[in-house]
Amino acid sequence: MDDEIEYTTEMVRVLRINESKTIAQREADGWEFVSQRPLTLRTEMTFRRPKRKLPKGLVIAASVGAAAIFIAIVALGITSESEEPAEPAAEESLPTVSEPSETPSQPSATATATAEALESVITPDNHAPLRALLELGDYCDPSIEDFAEDFAGDTISFPANIAAITPHGSATTRYDILMGSGDYSETTARGPAFQFRDVNTTSDLNYAGALPDSVGTGTNLSITAKVDAYEPDSCLLLLAPVSTSIR
């Protein structure tokens, strides 16, 4: 049908606190909100808007032009064939030998993606803002929220320690793990109050190497995780685990 509307659809993931803001911004740009699907700490939102259609006259003109080009190409091919000399009589064919390619092998897409992912990991050695963050003496310092907003979704890696483990709600095998920067100390703490929320202590932490017999308060870790969100009321900087190892 000529009147049937075709749509362009897009999906975006946003922090839950930004749902209303995202819908308003998208609608101002001509998008229509369709649906949303809640994730652990974010929401996957679907939007659509009508595809732009070319004026009918322009479509017809483009079609006519394309047909003319096609006819010209066919005519040129026929002329070229008529001007080519007749092929000589077939000679006895000789076996061919395949020569090894001199083109160096290219790395696979998976290897390239892995290398790029490793290069993009933020560490205290290659990133001054993270280094300063881990040295903070106040876990509610205003700069923590700025860091979380600037680097949301980025992957960071640093030495950490478990300051506390508590059950997540009424769960018996899922926990909220509170972590500090550097080695564990009973008297001092540095950096933000990092947290892995609603995780088990085995598969969710994605251990590099053998699984530890146990983890608990005082365990020193090396963690690689994605920056998720900062909660100003609790001063918690939420992380999503990517890889964990025991130090």
Side-chain angles (χ1 to χ4, degrees):
M1 295 177 60
D2 293 339
D3 296 333
E4 185 176 351
I5 301 176
E6 295 183 358
Y7 290 94
T8 298
T9 303
E10 281 191 5
M11 288 191 300
V12 296
R13 291 185 177 182
V14 300
L15 297 176
R16 290 183 178 177
I17 60 175
N18 292 332
E19 291 174 358
S20 299
K21 179 180 177 181
T22 301
I23 292 175
Q25 291 177 338
R26 285 272 169 166
E27 289 180 342
D29 292 334
W31 292 91
E32 175 188 354
F33 172 70
V34 178
S35 64
Q36 66 184 42
R37 182 170 67 93
L39 305 175
T40 303
L41 295 170
R42 297 174 183 267
T43 300
E44 184 178 85
M45 312 184 78
T46 303
F47 297 86
R48 71 177 186 177
R49 66 181 176 187
K51 291 183 178 179
R52 295 181 178 177
K53 292 186 177 181
L54 293 175
K56 184 176 294 185
L58 182 58
V59 173
I60 294 174
S63 300
V64 172
I69 294 173
F70 175 76
I71 294 172
I73 292 174
V74 171
L76 179 61
I78 294 174
T79 304
S80 299
E81 289 180 359
S82 64
E83 293 177 354
E84 290 181 358
E87 294 184 359
E91 298 179 357
E92 182 180 357
S93 61
L94 297 176
T96 58
V97 179
S98 299
E99 296 291 339
S101 173
E102 296 181 359
T103 304
S105 60
Q106 299 295 322
S108 67
T110 301
T112 301
T114 301
E116 291 176 351
L118 290 175
E119 290 178 358
S120 65
V121 173
I122 296 172
T123 71
D125 293 331
N126 65 22
H127 197 260
L130 176 59
R131 184 164 60 249
L133 187 80
L134 299 177
E135 294 296 331
L136 290 174
D138 178 5
Y139 72 94
C140 283
D141 190 286
S143 64
I144 300 174
E145 184 171 11
D146 295 337
F147 182 93
E149 292 179 353
D150 291 342
F151 301 101
D154 288 347
T155 302
I156 61 176
S157 182
F158 61 96
N161 67 82
I162 297 178
I165 296 183
T166 56
H168 180 74
S170 60
T172 57
T173 58
R174 301 191 69 79
Y175 303 91
D176 297 333
I177 303 178
L178 181 67
M179 297 168 293
S181 168
D183 293 340
Y184 177 75
S185 171
E186 294 182 351
T187 58
T188 60
R190 292 181 297 134
F194 298 104
Q195 187 185 69
F196 288 157
R197 180 173 293 175
D198 190 14
V199 296
N200 61 41
T201 57
T202 53
S203 59
D204 285 350
L205 297 189
N206 302 318
Y207 286 105
L211 291 175
D213 295 332
S214 63
V215 294
T217 301
T219 302
N220 289 326
L221 308 170
S222 290
I223 65 171
T224 301
K226 287 187 177 296
V227 178
D228 200 329
Y230 179 71
E231 295 183 343
D233 293 340
S234 62
C235 295
L236 291 175
L237 179 52
L238 304 182
L239 302 178
V242 173
S243 177
T244 307
S245 60
I246 304 298
R247 292 191 290 119

